[in-house]
Amino acid sequence: MIVWGIFIAFIILFLALDLGVFNRTPHVIKTKEAAIWTSIWVTIALGFSGVIYWLFKNGLVENPTDLAPNVAVLKYITGYLIELSLSIDNVFVIAVIFSSFAIPQKYQHEVLFWGILGAIVFRALMIFFGVALINKFDWIIYVFGAFLLITAFRMLLHKESEFDPKKSKMFRFLKKLFPISYKMEGDKFFIKRMGVRAATPLFVALIIIELTDILFALDSIPAILAITSDPFIVFSSNILAILGLRSMYFLISRMLTKFRYINYSLVVILAFVGVKMILSHTVEIPEWLSLGVIGFSLAAGIIASLLIPDPNPQPAEED
């Protein structure tokens, strides 16, 4: 529990420094700044694999699945890459939400900060119950595997342009809960309108981002549980991937039209881990193969997006 406590304390410290020091004043996150922070978060996450090796080698963290240190590192990196790759789909939805509610760019980072904070809490709970289910009921892994295959199929057929936050059930539900103002007033989440406390578009966007992240977690948590059911590896790889999501959003949201084939990479990854879960009790798929499939799928999607001409090119967006 000491290791868990130290890890969570560092996460809280990183978040406090992020909003309280580096981004105290709302401002537009430029591509260069986003690239620097994305590099920092990826470096921290990959560097943490060394901590994973040290913890498992010295028996400083509970090891319920009896993993060797090098295997634990492979599972951690594989899980991190899965979470990072699935976050790309999340980026598109966040961009649509911000656009739909006309959230100014200088306030988007603050919304994402609180959104990430909520996502950490929700995912921690989902990881806890997911690991408990797998350890309690062996057959649940087949349910998770089938769910991932269905999700991959739906993602293959899904058209992202169909998503409209203002027509979603989530938005209609929020309107029933409290008054909603369509007027922005700085970075305030609530304002008083004719004596009535009303939510601003900033708060509405935050809640919808939180709720959609829970839906995305329904895909990503089973996906990483296909790699390992070790609670510390699942939690650390998931949380470190989420922490890098904010800077990644500002880095790649402007380039989403360029990487139009990355969605097929995500379909392949989800389908692969779904099959791996279903076959887990009969066929042992080595970790290096899982890591290779994920890396190759992402690389193939990026390369195809760069090499195959876009039939409907969009004008370049200025930074």
Side-chain angles (χ1 to χ4, degrees):
M1 294 306 297
I2 293 176
V3 172
W4 282 81
I6 293 173
F7 179 77
I8 293 171
F10 270 104
I11 298 303
I12 294 172
L13 176 63
F14 287 149
L15 290 170
L17 288 173
D18 190 322
L19 190 65
V21 178
F22 298 113
N23 294 283
R24 176 181 293 181
T25 304
H27 65 284
V28 177
I29 308 293
K30 298 292 186 180
T31 301
K32 182 179 179 181
E33 181 182 353
I36 291 172
W37 277 107
T38 299
S39 302
I40 290 172
W41 284 118
V42 171
T43 302
I44 290 173
L46 294 180
F48 193 75
S49 61
V51 177
I52 293 288
Y53 184 89
W54 177 69
L55 290 174
F56 278 80
K57 183 180 180 180
N58 294 282
L60 298 176
V61 69
E62 188 178 359
N63 189 2
T65 54
D66 197 25
L67 296 176
N70 59 323
V71 176
V73 169
L74 272 177
K75 287 182 178 290
Y76 165 78
I77 294 175
T78 305
Y80 173 73
L81 288 179
I82 285 179
E83 295 302 318
L84 205 62
S85 59
L86 293 178
S87 294
I88 295 174
D89 209 37
N90 206 351
V91 165
F92 178 86
V93 174
I94 292 172
V96 172
I97 293 171
F98 281 153
S99 175
S100 178
F101 292 100
I103 305 298
Q105 287 190 14
K106 66 177 181 178
Y107 299 131
Q108 291 178 4
H109 183 278
E110 184 176 354
V111 174
L112 286 177
F113 172 86
W114 295 110
I116 295 300
L117 194 61
I120 290 174
V121 175
F122 286 123
R123 292 194 180 214
L125 293 172
M126 294 179 72
I127 288 169
F128 174 79
F129 287 111
V131 170
L133 283 173
I134 284 182
N135 290 331
K136 184 77 172 177
F137 307 105
D138 286 346
W139 53 266
I140 203 72
I141 199 167
Y142 301 122
V143 176
F144 285 162
F147 177 76
L148 290 178
L149 288 176
I150 294 171
T151 302
F153 181 72
R154 290 177 61 189
M155 186 180 288
L156 184 64
L157 301 179
H158 176 66
K159 292 182 179 179
E160 291 156 331
S161 58
E162 294 173 352
F163 178 70
D164 185 352
K166 288 186 176 179
K167 295 181 180 178
S168 65
K169 293 180 180 179
M170 292 179 284
F171 181 65
R172 292 199 296 269
F173 177 71
L174 290 176
K175 289 178 71 175
K176 293 178 181 178
L177 288 181
F178 40 71
I180 293 177
S181 170
Y182 292 92
K183 179 184 176 183
M184 291 282 299
E185 194 169 309
D187 60 351
K188 292 182 179 179
F189 287 125
F190 288 91
I191 59 173
K192 276 201 171 183
R193 185 186 60 182
M194 298 175 63
V196 177
R197 188 176 174 84
T200 66
L202 218 60
F203 182 76
V204 176
L206 170 62
I207 297 301
I208 293 181
I209 286 174
E210 292 280 19
L211 294 174
T212 52
D213 182 77
I214 293 174
L215 297 179
F216 277 107
L218 293 175
D219 301 335
S220 63
I221 299 301
I224 195 172
L225 289 174
I227 304 302
T228 179
S229 59
D230 182 274
F232 187 73
I233 292 178
V234 173
F235 182 73
S236 58
S237 59
N238 200 286
I239 298 308
L240 287 172
I242 291 175
L243 287 176
L245 178 60
R246 289 161 300 156
S247 53
M248 183 192 294
Y249 167 78
F250 293 107
L251 178 63
I252 69 175
S253 61
R254 302 178 180 99
M255 303 184 293
L256 284 172
T257 54
K258 286 186 179 180
F259 299 113
R260 60 196 180 281
Y261 291 113
I262 202 72
N263 188 62
Y264 296 105
S265 300
L266 305 182
V267 170
V268 172
I269 291 171
L270 283 177
F272 172 75
V273 294
V275 170
K276 182 176 180 178
M277 286 190 115
I278 292 173
L279 299 178
S280 60
H281 290 151
T282 54
V283 179
E284 184 177 350
I285 298 177
E287 296 310 318
W288 63 264
L289 180 58
S290 299
L291 191 58
V293 169
I294 294 167
F296 177 80
S297 301
L298 287 174
I302 293 171
I303 292 171
S305 301
L306 295 175
L307 295 182
I308 301 176
D310 187 354
N312 301 301
Q314 300 291 327
E317 187 175 331
E318 294 183 3
D319 187 15

PDB file of all heavy atoms in Angstrom, residues 4 29-30 68 91 97 106 111 115 123 127-129 144-145 155 182 215 225-226 266 311 315:
ATOM      1  N   TRP A   4       1.477   2.157  -3.611  1.00  0.00           N
ATOM      2  CA  TRP A   4       0.274   2.761  -4.177  1.00  0.00           C
ATOM      3  C   TRP A   4       0.120   4.203  -3.698  1.00  0.00           C
ATOM      4  O   TRP A   4      -0.204   5.097  -4.485  1.00  0.00           O
ATOM      5  CB  TRP A   4      -0.957   1.946  -3.767  1.00  0.00           C
ATOM      6  CG  TRP A   4      -1.146   0.689  -4.551  1.00  0.00           C
ATOM      7  CD1 TRP A   4      -0.522  -0.503  -4.348  1.00  0.00           C
ATOM      8  CD2 TRP A   4      -2.019   0.497  -5.675  1.00  0.00           C
ATOM      9  NE1 TRP A   4      -0.959  -1.435  -5.256  1.00  0.00           N
ATOM     10  CE2 TRP A   4      -1.873  -0.847  -6.089  1.00  0.00           C
ATOM     11  CE3 TRP A   4      -2.907   1.312  -6.347  1.00  0.00           C
ATOM     12  CZ2 TRP A   4      -2.581  -1.388  -7.145  1.00  0.00           C
ATOM     13  CZ3 TRP A   4      -3.616   0.774  -7.411  1.00  0.00           C
ATOM     14  CH2 TRP A   4      -3.453  -0.546  -7.807  1.00  0.00           C
ATOM     15  N   ILE A  29      -3.209  26.836 -25.997  1.00  0.00           N
ATOM     16  CA  ILE A  29      -2.085  25.896 -26.066  1.00  0.00           C
ATOM     17  C   ILE A  29      -1.674  25.733 -27.524  1.00  0.00           C
ATOM     18  O   ILE A  29      -2.420  25.184 -28.334  1.00  0.00           O
ATOM     19  CB  ILE A  29      -2.464  24.523 -25.478  1.00  0.00           C
ATOM     20  CG1 ILE A  29      -3.056  24.673 -24.069  1.00  0.00           C
ATOM     21  CG2 ILE A  29      -1.254  23.602 -25.466  1.00  0.00           C
ATOM     22  CD1 ILE A  29      -2.089  25.167 -23.034  1.00  0.00           C
ATOM     23  N   LYS A  30      -0.492  26.242 -27.856  1.00  0.00           N
ATOM     24  CA  LYS A  30       0.016  26.130 -29.212  1.00  0.00           C
ATOM     25  C   LYS A  30       0.582  24.728 -29.466  1.00  0.00           C
ATOM     26  O   LYS A  30       0.861  23.971 -28.523  1.00  0.00           O
ATOM     27  CB  LYS A  30       1.110  27.177 -29.453  1.00  0.00           C
ATOM     28  CG  LYS A  30       0.635  28.614 -29.313  1.00  0.00           C
ATOM     29  CD  LYS A  30      -0.322  28.983 -30.430  1.00  0.00           C
ATOM     30  CE  LYS A  30      -0.681  30.467 -30.391  1.00  0.00           C
ATOM     31  NZ  LYS A  30      -1.603  30.839 -31.463  1.00  0.00           N
ATOM     32  N   ALA A  68       7.380 -12.194 -13.642  1.00  0.00           N
ATOM     33  CA  ALA A  68       8.808 -11.902 -13.596  1.00  0.00           C
ATOM     34  C   ALA A  68       9.003 -10.427 -13.929  1.00  0.00           C
ATOM     35  O   ALA A  68       8.170  -9.838 -14.638  1.00  0.00           O
ATOM     36  CB  ALA A  68       9.559 -12.777 -14.590  1.00  0.00           C
ATOM     37  N   VAL A  91      -9.987  11.758 -28.419  1.00  0.00           N
ATOM     38  CA  VAL A  91      -9.597  13.111 -28.834  1.00  0.00           C
ATOM     39  C   VAL A  91     -10.608  13.687 -29.821  1.00  0.00           C
ATOM     40  O   VAL A  91     -11.003  14.854 -29.722  1.00  0.00           O
ATOM     41  CB  VAL A  91      -8.180  13.102 -29.442  1.00  0.00           C
ATOM     42  CG1 VAL A  91      -7.908  14.408 -30.201  1.00  0.00           C
ATOM     43  CG2 VAL A  91      -7.139  12.903 -28.357  1.00  0.00           C
ATOM     44  N   ILE A  97     -17.098  18.040 -29.023  1.00  0.00           N
ATOM     45  CA  ILE A  97     -17.800  18.647 -27.882  1.00  0.00           C
ATOM     46  C   ILE A  97     -17.408  20.113 -27.729  1.00  0.00           C
ATOM     47  O   ILE A  97     -18.266  20.989 -27.571  1.00  0.00           O
ATOM     48  CB  ILE A  97     -17.488  17.869 -26.586  1.00  0.00           C
ATOM     49  CG1 ILE A  97     -18.104  16.469 -26.654  1.00  0.00           C
ATOM     50  CG2 ILE A  97     -18.019  18.621 -25.356  1.00  0.00           C
ATOM     51  CD1 ILE A  97     -17.672  15.549 -25.531  1.00  0.00           C
ATOM     52  N   LYS A 106      -8.625  29.020 -25.066  1.00  0.00           N
ATOM     53  CA  LYS A 106      -7.850  29.324 -23.859  1.00  0.00           C
ATOM     54  C   LYS A 106      -8.458  28.705 -22.602  1.00  0.00           C
ATOM     55  O   LYS A 106      -7.794  28.622 -21.566  1.00  0.00           O
ATOM     56  CB  LYS A 106      -7.696  30.835 -23.683  1.00  0.00           C
ATOM     57  CG  LYS A 106      -8.978  31.598 -23.397  1.00  0.00           C
ATOM     58  CD  LYS A 106      -8.651  33.071 -23.184  1.00  0.00           C
ATOM     59  CE  LYS A 106      -9.889  33.895 -22.873  1.00  0.00           C
ATOM     60  NZ  LYS A 106      -9.540  35.319 -22.628  1.00  0.00           N
ATOM     61  N   VAL A 111     -10.923  22.810 -18.678  1.00  0.00           N
ATOM     62  CA  VAL A 111     -11.989  21.811 -18.760  1.00  0.00           C
ATOM     63  C   VAL A 111     -11.392  20.408 -18.795  1.00  0.00           C
ATOM     64  O   VAL A 111     -11.851  19.501 -18.089  1.00  0.00           O
ATOM     65  CB  VAL A 111     -12.865  22.050 -20.014  1.00  0.00           C
ATOM     66  CG1 VAL A 111     -13.878  20.925 -20.179  1.00  0.00           C
ATOM     67  CG2 VAL A 111     -13.596  23.385 -19.903  1.00  0.00           C
ATOM     68  N   GLY A 115     -11.723  17.290 -16.247  1.00  0.00           N
ATOM     69  CA  GLY A 115     -12.203  16.067 -16.884  1.00  0.00           C
ATOM     70  C   GLY A 115     -11.279  14.887 -16.614  1.00  0.00           C
ATOM     71  O   GLY A 115     -11.734  13.772 -16.323  1.00  0.00           O
ATOM     72  N   ARG A 123     -12.032   5.582 -13.515  1.00  0.00           N
ATOM     73  CA  ARG A 123     -11.270   4.442 -14.040  1.00  0.00           C
ATOM     74  C   ARG A 123     -10.665   3.609 -12.920  1.00  0.00           C
ATOM     75  O   ARG A 123     -10.550   2.391 -13.046  1.00  0.00           O
ATOM     76  CB  ARG A 123     -10.193   4.935 -15.006  1.00  0.00           C
ATOM     77  CG  ARG A 123     -10.799   5.504 -16.278  1.00  0.00           C
ATOM     78  CD  ARG A 123      -9.784   5.673 -17.364  1.00  0.00           C
ATOM     79  NE  ARG A 123     -10.407   6.213 -18.566  1.00  0.00           N
ATOM     80  CZ  ARG A 123     -10.042   5.903 -19.790  1.00  0.00           C
ATOM     81  NH1 ARG A 123      -9.071   5.044 -19.973  1.00  0.00           N
ATOM     82  NH2 ARG A 123     -10.650   6.430 -20.824  1.00  0.00           N
ATOM     83  N   ILE A 127     -11.302  -0.276 -12.760  1.00  0.00           N
ATOM     84  CA  ILE A 127     -10.180  -1.218 -12.724  1.00  0.00           C
ATOM     85  C   ILE A 127     -10.316  -2.136 -11.517  1.00  0.00           C
ATOM     86  O   ILE A 127     -10.127  -3.355 -11.621  1.00  0.00           O
ATOM     87  CB  ILE A 127      -8.839  -0.456 -12.674  1.00  0.00           C
ATOM     88  CG1 ILE A 127      -8.562   0.197 -14.029  1.00  0.00           C
ATOM     89  CG2 ILE A 127      -7.684  -1.400 -12.306  1.00  0.00           C
ATOM     90  CD1 ILE A 127      -7.400   1.184 -14.006  1.00  0.00           C
ATOM     91  N   PHE A 128     -10.662  -1.557 -10.363  1.00  0.00           N
ATOM     92  CA  PHE A 128     -10.809  -2.341  -9.138  1.00  0.00           C
ATOM     93  C   PHE A 128     -11.856  -3.443  -9.316  1.00  0.00           C
ATOM     94  O   PHE A 128     -11.602  -4.619  -9.019  1.00  0.00           O
ATOM     95  CB  PHE A 128     -11.201  -1.428  -7.977  1.00  0.00           C
ATOM     96  CG  PHE A 128     -11.515  -2.157  -6.706  1.00  0.00           C
ATOM     97  CD1 PHE A 128     -10.494  -2.617  -5.882  1.00  0.00           C
ATOM     98  CD2 PHE A 128     -12.833  -2.397  -6.336  1.00  0.00           C
ATOM     99  CE1 PHE A 128     -10.787  -3.309  -4.708  1.00  0.00           C
ATOM    100  CE2 PHE A 128     -13.136  -3.075  -5.167  1.00  0.00           C
ATOM    101  CZ  PHE A 128     -12.109  -3.532  -4.356  1.00  0.00           C
ATOM    102  N   PHE A 129     -13.027  -3.062  -9.858  1.00  0.00           N
ATOM    103  CA  PHE A 129     -14.098  -4.044 -10.031  1.00  0.00           C
ATOM    104  C   PHE A 129     -13.787  -5.009 -11.172  1.00  0.00           C
ATOM    105  O   PHE A 129     -14.144  -6.197 -11.108  1.00  0.00           O
ATOM    106  CB  PHE A 129     -15.429  -3.336 -10.272  1.00  0.00           C
ATOM    107  CG  PHE A 129     -15.992  -2.675  -9.049  1.00  0.00           C
ATOM    108  CD1 PHE A 129     -16.054  -1.292  -8.932  1.00  0.00           C
ATOM    109  CD2 PHE A 129     -16.439  -3.442  -7.982  1.00  0.00           C
ATOM    110  CE1 PHE A 129     -16.563  -0.698  -7.794  1.00  0.00           C
ATOM    111  CE2 PHE A 129     -16.948  -2.849  -6.830  1.00  0.00           C
ATOM    112  CZ  PHE A 129     -17.015  -1.472  -6.739  1.00  0.00           C
ATOM    113  N   PHE A 144     -15.742 -10.126 -21.588  1.00  0.00           N
ATOM    114  CA  PHE A 144     -14.950  -8.958 -21.965  1.00  0.00           C
ATOM    115  C   PHE A 144     -14.443  -9.086 -23.402  1.00  0.00           C
ATOM    116  O   PHE A 144     -14.454  -8.123 -24.170  1.00  0.00           O
ATOM    117  CB  PHE A 144     -13.772  -8.785 -21.003  1.00  0.00           C
ATOM    118  CG  PHE A 144     -14.145  -8.242 -19.662  1.00  0.00           C
ATOM    119  CD1 PHE A 144     -13.288  -8.366 -18.576  1.00  0.00           C
ATOM    120  CD2 PHE A 144     -15.360  -7.609 -19.459  1.00  0.00           C
ATOM    121  CE1 PHE A 144     -13.629  -7.863 -17.328  1.00  0.00           C
ATOM    122  CE2 PHE A 144     -15.717  -7.106 -18.212  1.00  0.00           C
ATOM    123  CZ  PHE A 144     -14.848  -7.232 -17.149  1.00  0.00           C
ATOM    124  N   GLY A 145     -13.975 -10.282 -23.759  1.00  0.00           N
ATOM    125  CA  GLY A 145     -13.457 -10.500 -25.115  1.00  0.00           C
ATOM    126  C   GLY A 145     -14.517 -10.293 -26.170  1.00  0.00           C
ATOM    127  O   GLY A 145     -14.288  -9.634 -27.194  1.00  0.00           O
ATOM    128  N   MET A 155     -17.130   0.132 -34.207  1.00  0.00           N
ATOM    129  CA  MET A 155     -16.207   1.205 -34.566  1.00  0.00           C
ATOM    130  C   MET A 155     -15.914   1.198 -36.063  1.00  0.00           C
ATOM    131  O   MET A 155     -15.753   2.247 -36.689  1.00  0.00           O
ATOM    132  CB  MET A 155     -14.894   1.060 -33.780  1.00  0.00           C
ATOM    133  CG  MET A 155     -13.919   2.209 -33.979  1.00  0.00           C
ATOM    134  SD  MET A 155     -12.389   1.986 -33.034  1.00  0.00           S
ATOM    135  CE  MET A 155     -12.999   2.270 -31.370  1.00  0.00           C
ATOM    136  N   TYR A 182     -26.491  29.618 -22.286  1.00  0.00           N
ATOM    137  CA  TYR A 182     -25.670  29.489 -23.491  1.00  0.00           C
ATOM    138  C   TYR A 182     -24.650  30.623 -23.583  1.00  0.00           C
ATOM    139  O   TYR A 182     -24.001  30.809 -24.608  1.00  0.00           O
ATOM    140  CB  TYR A 182     -26.560  29.459 -24.740  1.00  0.00           C
ATOM    141  CG  TYR A 182     -27.391  28.201 -24.817  1.00  0.00           C
ATOM    142  CD1 TYR A 182     -28.669  28.164 -24.272  1.00  0.00           C
ATOM    143  CD2 TYR A 182     -26.894  27.043 -25.409  1.00  0.00           C
ATOM    144  CE1 TYR A 182     -29.438  27.014 -24.326  1.00  0.00           C
ATOM    145  CE2 TYR A 182     -27.649  25.886 -25.473  1.00  0.00           C
ATOM    146  CZ  TYR A 182     -28.921  25.877 -24.933  1.00  0.00           C
ATOM    147  OH  TYR A 182     -29.668  24.726 -24.977  1.00  0.00           O
ATOM    148  N   LEU A 215     -17.793   5.923 -21.076  1.00  0.00           N
ATOM    149  CA  LEU A 215     -18.124   5.008 -22.168  1.00  0.00           C
ATOM    150  C   LEU A 215     -16.863   4.477 -22.832  1.00  0.00           C
ATOM    151  O   LEU A 215     -16.771   3.285 -23.171  1.00  0.00           O
ATOM    152  CB  LEU A 215     -19.008   5.723 -23.199  1.00  0.00           C
ATOM    153  CG  LEU A 215     -20.383   6.189 -22.708  1.00  0.00           C
ATOM    154  CD1 LEU A 215     -21.135   6.909 -23.814  1.00  0.00           C
ATOM    155  CD2 LEU A 215     -21.196   4.994 -22.202  1.00  0.00           C
ATOM    156  N   LEU A 225      -7.102  -5.350 -19.518  1.00  0.00           N
ATOM    157  CA  LEU A 225      -7.234  -6.567 -18.712  1.00  0.00           C
ATOM    158  C   LEU A 225      -6.941  -7.815 -19.538  1.00  0.00           C
ATOM    159  O   LEU A 225      -6.686  -8.882 -18.983  1.00  0.00           O
ATOM    160  CB  LEU A 225      -8.640  -6.651 -18.103  1.00  0.00           C
ATOM    161  CG  LEU A 225      -8.931  -5.650 -16.979  1.00  0.00           C
ATOM    162  CD1 LEU A 225     -10.391  -5.733 -16.549  1.00  0.00           C
ATOM    163  CD2 LEU A 225      -8.016  -5.897 -15.781  1.00  0.00           C
ATOM    164  N   ALA A 226      -6.975  -7.678 -20.872  1.00  0.00           N
ATOM    165  CA  ALA A 226      -6.577  -8.788 -21.734  1.00  0.00           C
ATOM    166  C   ALA A 226      -5.069  -9.003 -21.677  1.00  0.00           C
ATOM    167  O   ALA A 226      -4.572 -10.101 -21.957  1.00  0.00           O
ATOM    168  CB  ALA A 226      -7.003  -8.516 -23.180  1.00  0.00           C
ATOM    169  N   LEU A 266      -7.267   1.196 -34.629  1.00  0.00           N
ATOM    170  CA  LEU A 266      -7.939   0.934 -33.368  1.00  0.00           C
ATOM    171  C   LEU A 266      -8.862  -0.281 -33.473  1.00  0.00           C
ATOM    172  O   LEU A 266      -8.983  -1.064 -32.518  1.00  0.00           O
ATOM    173  CB  LEU A 266      -8.742   2.161 -32.929  1.00  0.00           C
ATOM    174  CG  LEU A 266      -7.963   3.477 -32.823  1.00  0.00           C
ATOM    175  CD1 LEU A 266      -8.872   4.593 -32.320  1.00  0.00           C
ATOM    176  CD2 LEU A 266      -6.771   3.317 -31.895  1.00  0.00           C
ATOM    177  N   PRO A 311      -9.210  12.062 -50.634  1.00  0.00           N
ATOM    178  CA  PRO A 311     -10.105  12.454 -51.724  1.00  0.00           C
ATOM    179  C   PRO A 311     -10.839  13.766 -51.458  1.00  0.00           C
ATOM    180  O   PRO A 311     -11.274  14.440 -52.389  1.00  0.00           O
ATOM    181  CB  PRO A 311     -11.099  11.277 -51.801  1.00  0.00           C
ATOM    182  CG  PRO A 311     -11.033  10.632 -50.454  1.00  0.00           C
ATOM    183  CD  PRO A 311      -9.632  10.824 -49.979  1.00  0.00           C
ATOM    184  N   PRO A 315      -8.761  22.402 -45.801  1.00  0.00           N
ATOM    185  CA  PRO A 315      -7.749  23.466 -45.733  1.00  0.00           C
ATOM    186  C   PRO A 315      -6.956  23.357 -44.443  1.00  0.00           C
ATOM    187  O   PRO A 315      -7.510  23.053 -43.394  1.00  0.00           O
ATOM    188  CB  PRO A 315      -8.581  24.756 -45.771  1.00  0.00           C
ATOM    189  CG  PRO A 315      -9.961  24.347 -45.372  1.00  0.00           C
ATOM    190  CD  PRO A 315     -10.141  22.925 -45.838  1.00  0.00           C
TER     191      PRO A 315
END
